[in-house]
Amino acid sequence: MATQILDRDDLLTLTQAAKRLPGRPHRSTLWRWAQKGIELPNGCRAYLQVRRLGRWTLVAPEDIDAFSEALTAAHEQPQQSLRLRPARTPRQSTRAQRAEAEAQRLGI
């Protein structure tokens, strides 16, 4: 779904967004939330949605609200979280299963 960026006055840079949040996290914290997400109690990750425009990384206030709501919902009711991706890739899951089988075989 494409967003018309030029018609939006509410997009913020990560620095501007960080200054508006409680506790004033560093802009790199918002970048980490967008790139690596935050692992939730159910093993999935929630990501902050950002947009790129040239060298700028922009975030909309409603995306920060949706990210916050996803985190809150995950901690209250893990099965009803928003925008989730599995914490492990399929390759990582396969490797973990193989390692567990090998550990069982060795009696560890």
Side-chain angles (χ1 to χ4, degrees), residues 30-58:
L30 276 71
W31 176 254
R32 186 176 61 247
W33 291 345
Q35 297 302 307
K36 296 183 178 183
I38 294 179
E39 188 169 354
L40 303 174
N42 63 3
C44 291
R45 289 188 171 271
Y47 292 83
L48 175 63
Q49 183 178 354
V50 295
R51 294 160 179 82
R52 294 290 305 206
L53 182 62
R55 67 184 186 106
W56 299 100
T57 302
L58 305 170

Side-chain angles (χ1 to χ4, degrees), residues 9-28:
D9 295 330
D10 61 341
L11 290 176
L12 305 168
T13 64
L14 295 182
T15 301
Q16 292 169 331
K19 288 179 181 178
R20 293 184 179 193
L21 290 173
R24 294 189 60 166
H26 196 270
R27 67 178 178 254
S28 64

